Amino acid sequence: MLKRLRFILPNKDIIMNLKNYIREIQNYPKEGILFRDITTLLKDKEAFKFAIDEMAKQVIDKNIDLIVGAESRGFLIGSALAYRLNVGFIPVRKKGKLPYKTISEEYALEYGTDTLYMHEDSIAKGDNVLIVDDLIATGGTANAMIKMVERLGGNVVGTSFLIELEDLGGRKEIDKYPVYVLIKY
């Protein structure tokens, strides 16, 4: 078994306004939705690195074993954060995308419902898990991931998001867990 490596996060002299790297798209994916597009942040190597480093600083002391992230943008943020923290990453996917036996959880979106799936052997009893996604809106996706982790015996030590849409109230859906956010709208 590999020994967990500890690292020191670099001090940043630079303060970035990460909102400057988020593109807003009206009426996507449907009428009335203002979509926050993070691809513009991801393509800027300094902004992306800064965001992941800042997210890591928020949770470095949480004794995390695994990060769980939902497809697809949760994969991008979650796997980069897992790499930075030297922990494992568990993908949560849509139906038919995982090759082994799965558990599932239905959840509400701000514009409908969907179901997430996770391999049934992805979390061991007692694993300390951080839930990660690019954005928290209504809290449905995060809550579904939390329920699956706990059903498998994992201990949710917190949730981490690049963006929070405060008006949609998602934080209250998961308020029994610490919530870490970099950008608030």
Side-chain angles (χ1 to χ4, degrees):
M1 176 175 255
L2 291 176
K3 216 181 216 185
R4 179 168 300 164
L5 300 174
R6 299 309 272 165
F7 62 90
I8 298 172
L9 292 169
N11 283 330
K12 294 283 185 181
D13 295 332
I14 158 179
I15 302 273
M16 288 190 153
N17 182 351
L18 293 175
K19 283 184 179 181
N20 292 335
Y21 296 88
I22 307 295
R23 178 175 28 211
E24 295 181 353
I25 301 173
Q26 294 284 343
N27 301 314
Y28 183 83
K30 64 185 256 185
E31 189 71 28
I33 302 292
L34 175 60
F35 186 80
R36 301 299 205 275
D37 178 15
I38 68 165
T39 62
T40 46
L41 181 141
L42 297 173
K43 80 176 185 177
D44 186 287
K45 67 183 178 184
E46 290 183 14
F48 185 38
K49 183 176 184 335
F50 180 79
I52 295 303
D53 287 349
E54 291 301 305
M55 291 177 80
K57 286 179 188 178
Q58 293 177 326
V59 299
I60 189 72
D61 62 344
K62 303 301 174 206
N63 195 29
I64 299 163
D65 298 309
L66 297 166
I67 287 178
V68 169
E71 74 176 69
S72 64
R73 292 175 309 275
F75 286 6
L76 302 172
I77 301 299
S79 60
L81 187 56
Y83 176 81
R84 186 68 175 109
L85 294 171
N86 195 36
V87 301
F89 178 78
I90 305 298
V92 173
R93 305 223 44 201
K94 305 289 171 107
K95 186 174 184 166
K97 300 291 185 177
L98 292 171
Y100 189 64
K101 297 174 190 168
T102 61
I103 63 169
S104 65
E105 188 69 37
E106 188 173 294
Y107 66 103
L109 299 159
E110 58 270 31
Y111 46 84
T113 62
D114 211 338
T115 304
L116 291 175
Y117 296 80
M118 176 188 294
H119 280 144
E120 68 180 16
D121 63 352
S122 59
I123 308 288
K125 185 175 176 144
D127 280 345
N128 288 330
V129 178
L130 180 69
I131 304 297
V132 175
D133 210 347
D134 69 316
L135 179 139
I136 181 167
T138 62
T141 305
N143 200 25
M145 290 189 284
I146 288 167
K147 287 179 181 178
M148 288 190 291
V149 166
E150 290 180 340
R151 194 176 325 146
L152 294 174
N155 174 39
V156 176
V157 298
T159 60
S160 180
F161 306 96
L162 180 63
I163 299 169
E164 179 179 10
L165 304 179
E166 293 180 287
D167 290 348
L168 295 178
R171 184 181 288 254
K172 69 180 174 232
E173 294 297 315
I174 58 171
D175 66 358
K176 92 176 212 185
Y177 307 93
V179 178
Y180 305 96
V181 175
L182 282 188
I183 306 166
K184 294 184 179 188
Y185 287 97

